[in-house]
Amino acid sequence: MMMVRIGLMGFVAAALIFASGPQASAADGEPTVIVALGDSLTAGYGLPQNQSFPAQLEAALKARGADVRIVNAGVSGDTASAAEKRLDWALPDDAGAVIVELGGNDALQGIPPEGTKAALAKIIEQLKARGLPVLLAGMEAPRNMGEDYVTAFGAIYPDLAAHYDVLLYPFFLEGAALNDGLMQKDGIHPNGKGVAKIVENMLPKVEELLARARGDAGSGEED
């Protein structure tokens, strides 16, 4: 009887090893999912979907050998507060990291910087509670909002990045803003070439985010 039990236990153990082995390998082979949480700049306002920021970023990363999928969680018109309210359903279960691109609509609407900062802080706190690495993409307020507003708004992003120890890309539109050849006629949203420039500039930070998502050693702290 004892030999039968031992035999059964061995059979069960072998079956479990056989079953779990391929599943573990399959899980290891899944692409890393990065969620781009943002407003119209992320959503791809005025552009074909294959020219949007998430689509071009995914293509650029894959061209460099990364096994990655970028989820477009951009909603045109969203403020930081509106994005915070939809955060739970905006994040897929398999999310591995998040790029947060928000605040532009807050500045255009003249929302007090402290309100924007508080909403972004709630987003970051929820993401960190889920163990998700974060890349915070900064924005700048229009100069016609006045020097005090512009200064206070600009300080939001480095302050939050330092406080929560998340990666920071200081200005999402760097390299495209104020360049007529890279912006749409509204002067607010980049065209396809402008998005390509943004992706080119952001790529090193996104690769650092990807390294953190994968737990790579030496992925570094933010600048």
Side-chain angles (χ1 to χ4, degrees), residues 169-195:
Y169 185 75
F171 181 39
F172 181 79
L173 290 170
E174 185 67 43
L178 303 180
N179 186 325
D180 291 342
L182 299 179
M183 298 296 288
Q184 297 182 42
K185 290 181 179 179
D186 62 12
I188 297 173
H189 301 91
N191 58 28
K193 291 181 179 179
V195 173

Side-chain angles (χ1 to χ4, degrees), residues 56 87 196:
Q56 291 204 47
L87 184 61

Side-chain angles (χ1 to χ4, degrees), residues 23-101:
Q23 289 177 355
S25 298
D28 290 343
E30 291 297 317
T32 301
V33 175
I34 298 178
V35 179
L37 178 73
D39 47 37
S40 57
L41 297 175
T42 291
Y45 175 87
L47 298 172
Q49 269 307 109
N50 65 355
Q51 291 296 302
S52 69
F53 170 72
Q56 291 204 47
L57 178 61
E58 180 176 306
L61 287 166
K62 286 182 173 179
R64 292 168 68 91
D67 187 12
V68 64
R69 180 164 62 89
I70 310 296
V71 174
N72 190 338
V75 173
S76 293
D78 253 11
T79 60
S81 179
E84 191 271 326
K85 289 180 173 63
R86 67 178 173 90
L87 184 61
D88 281 341
W89 57 263
L91 293 177
D93 292 339
D94 58 354
V98 181
I99 299 171
V100 177
E101 174 278 305

Side-chain angles (χ1 to χ4, degrees), residues 130-154:
R130 299 184 187 201
L132 296 173
V134 176
L135 170 56
L136 181 62
M139 291 300 299
E140 295 182 1
R143 296 298 180 262
N144 62 5
M145 296 301 294
E147 184 178 350
D148 289 347
Y149 186 96
V150 170
T151 300
F153 189 88

